[in-house]
Amino acid sequence: MLIDALRDDFVFGSKGVKFMPYTTYLVEKGASHSFVAEAKPPTVTMPRVKALMTGSLPGFIDVVRNLNSPALLEDNVITQAKAAGKRMIFYGDETWVKLFPQHFVEYDGTTSFFVSDYTEVDDNVTRHLDKVLKREDWDVLILHYLGLDHIGHISGPSSPLIGHKLSEMDNVLMKIHTSLLSEERENLSPNLLVLCGDHGMSETGSHGASSMEEVNTPLILISSAFERKPGDIRHPKHVQQTDLAATLAIGLGLPIPENSVGSLLFPSIEGRPVREQLRFLHLNAVQLSKLLQENVPSYKKEPGFEQFKMAERLHGNWIRLYLEENTSEVLFNLGTKVRRQYLDALRTLSLSLSRQVAQYDIYSMLVGTVMVLEVLTLLLLSIPQALSSKAELEIPLWSPVFSLLFYLMFLVLSALHVIVCTSAESSCYFCGLSWLTAGGVMVLISALLCAVVSALAKMFASGKLLSKNPAHPNSRWSELDVVILLGTMGHVLSLGASSFIEEEHQTWYFLVNTLCLALCHEIYRNCFLGDDCEPRRCSHRERGFVNTAPALQDGSIGHDELEPHRASKSPTSLNTLRGWEKWMAMASPWVILTCCRLLRSLNQTGVQWAHRPDLGHWLTSSDHKAELSVLAALSLIMIFALVQRRCSLTSKVAMALGLLGVYCYRAAIGNVLFPWQRDSKDISKGLIEARFVHVFVLGILFTGTKDLLKSQVIAADFTIKTVGLWEIYSGLVLLAALLFRPHNLPVLVFSLLIQTIMTKFIWKPLRHDAAEITVMHYWFGQAFFYFQGNSNNIATVDISAGFVGLDTYVEVPAVFLTAFATFAGPVLWASHLVSFLSSETSSGSALSHACFCYALICSFPVSAYIILVTSLRYHLFIWSVFSPKLLYEGMHILITAAICVFFTAMDQTNTKS
């Protein structure tokens, strides 16, 4: 009986005493053995089921495979049981049916991803029990309950629903146990009932990371064979989750799975005769020693192997004494010594294998790393071209393809590929591809390498060096440029330390605060020192980022005049501000700093300080629902006030009704209250309200898209394009308001407020160039990713956001909504960047510059991190820290690619970009 997300304190703690009395009785006084089983990250269902049944440590890629589990080909207990003729029945999470197809004589799978359902998903399992427990045509029955996990995703471990669900599970366990006891009275054959969890539950209700609440799960073995004497107190022992596979295999008389790194749970056999105990321990030790020999070349020097050989020799001596029918105290003492030696050897072997058994596909990893490095090098070498006034990027591919270097590289790589794939002993992903596909990869690598060489040759031949503004080689770097460069480089370097990855939010908070201070310095210098402090002058003056709509009507502004280069901006741009606007410009950095400080108090994230109380926990407690309701209502009003200013009348009405629907949805599911509502007893799934909002989101997005298409037909109508882009942005804001938890709505408000302040009092008056504005948007987007309460561990992903408005699991919308809710900060800031650049200049080069800068600033840390993770693959925290970060970076780069496609689509004046 596997209960998804069953934490150890739900059984062994105060909640177990209160809500699971029968289970508590079995643990404290019944015929049982209790353990706290540690689950290794990633703590998600599919990898943990694999660990339970194979005894091995799944790779982190199983986090992705968890969405659609493939059949498990690795040796496991289920396959061994089927081969031995065991009849197995399964009810519950359909992950088991996907992992073990055609293994069960009877099964009924339930969808695991529809987290809004925590009642029917368990009822569909329990409804089979009355009939199946009376039948005698099965040997193994597996139940996987999902309701507890779903409650955690929806409302967290402190929800009152948790207690009700634990009581329900306790009643199910009592029904199964009493039925097994009555059966044993008839046939006198003991059964084994295993109660366990696949992973735990974090304090936010999610899972996937490596906190104590997520990795510690209860494991209880219940059987009449485990006799307990009066006064025998058995405290739960700490074991590894992988130990269950070896224990079940021994108990069922099956071979231990060949890749299992677990050791037999000795309390389960301590009631057997010494001869059987030693035989079982020897079987486990032989299996682990064989696995060690396969994975460690110098296995003979391993302490565990030496201990095993010593135990084996002592075991032989014990058998000789036993066959001589020697029943003296010498035999007993030697048997005790052999048992202790075996247990020490098993412990050491298991620990050693857990550290070294991870097998990496080095060849495929190197091929991918080389491609990433080549593309990154091309991006860096293309900076002068991409940031020039024409914003054109020419990648010379055809000329290198016909060069001698290309053919030599292709032949060398092909020969290397043949040698590696024919000599590889283990499976290799890249070698498993068809020769045509592999050849295409070789061609691409060779062509990219030749392009890099060609670009380098041209750069050295022309003698060009990188400068701040390639259009003006004599331009100097400002203080803001230095802050941006050092901040970007510092962030990349920080990714080499596990602590900096765990607390990456601190890096971004620091960078955003530093950026605000740099802007403050620039504003004050312009206000008080005026033209005398201007570090850069130009022979001609251009308009920069000003509203060009009037000028476009008479066609008086040429292409060059709209280039957004800092070197060509008006020197005293802040002089255009008068009265209160100038004072607001001077105060704007401090207002932004205040907003950021308030947001930091809303959600504690990271690892070291995540347990500390924050404003979000205070608001989400049941005692402060009225305060949360007021805050949510005020936030929605502020969102409307900040977004509606540039929308059409139709979109304004849709936005107002949509935001009203957001509040109604949250009230329907019991998060907030209406003024006339005293409690939240009448809780529903809010399907009608959520779909009501979805309709308005689609309507606003459709209106914006229609305006954009119209602007493509009427090229001269600049206003239509501006309004269309803003309406698309406002549609995304409405969707974010729907998906965000009520206590996170102030994050959205402050995001809009900061964008408004920076647009009116910083970017327009100071006329920053497109590259600087792009980097600022990127930095704030990253900071708001963490302001939402996200971190670099998977447990902070809000799965429930993917099911807002859905009454069943539909993969595409569920994945899209979850990804959007997680990365709403970066997406909204990138969307605002497109809208801002399009509204402030009609020059295509501004969007081209932004597209290139956004791609570069995202690609550089990701590329460096891929290389770093490859080199640190044996690091102690590779699975718990570095791998989750790599998964986030992978998702981020996909979103970046989509954003860059959107940039390019909006660039209607420069088709080459």
Side-chain angles (χ1 to χ4, degrees), residues 543 546 566 569-570 573 762-769:
R543 294 287 296 273
V546 293
R566 168 72 76 82
K569 72 178 183 182
S570 176
S573 51
I762 295 179
W763 293 326
K764 282 185 181 180
L766 295 179
R767 298 175 187 174
H768 292 109
D769 62 28

Side-chain angles (χ1 to χ4, degrees), residues 830-842:
S831 303
H832 183 270
L833 174 62
V834 178
S835 177
F836 174 77
L837 292 179
S838 298
S839 63
E840 299 305 323
T841 176
S842 64

Side-chain angles (χ1 to χ4, degrees), residues 639-655:
I639 291 171
F640 177 75
L642 292 168
V643 170
Q644 57 84 32
R645 52 195 171 91
R646 290 169 59 184
C647 292
S648 63
L649 179 61
T650 304
S651 296
K652 288 181 181 180
V653 174
M655 176 64 69

Side-chain angles (χ1 to χ4, degrees), residues 699-713:
I700 295 174
L701 292 176
F702 174 77
T703 304
T705 306
K706 182 192 69 175
D707 290 341
L708 284 180
L709 294 175
K710 187 176 180 181
S711 69
Q712 298 290 335
V713 178

Side-chain angles (χ1 to χ4, degrees), residues 153 206-207 790-791 793-800 818-819 822 888:
H153 283 298
S206 190
H207 54 87
N790 293 320
S791 70
N793 75 54
I794 304 172
T796 52
V797 177
D798 185 7
I799 300 294
S800 63
T818 303
T822 304
Y888 272 109

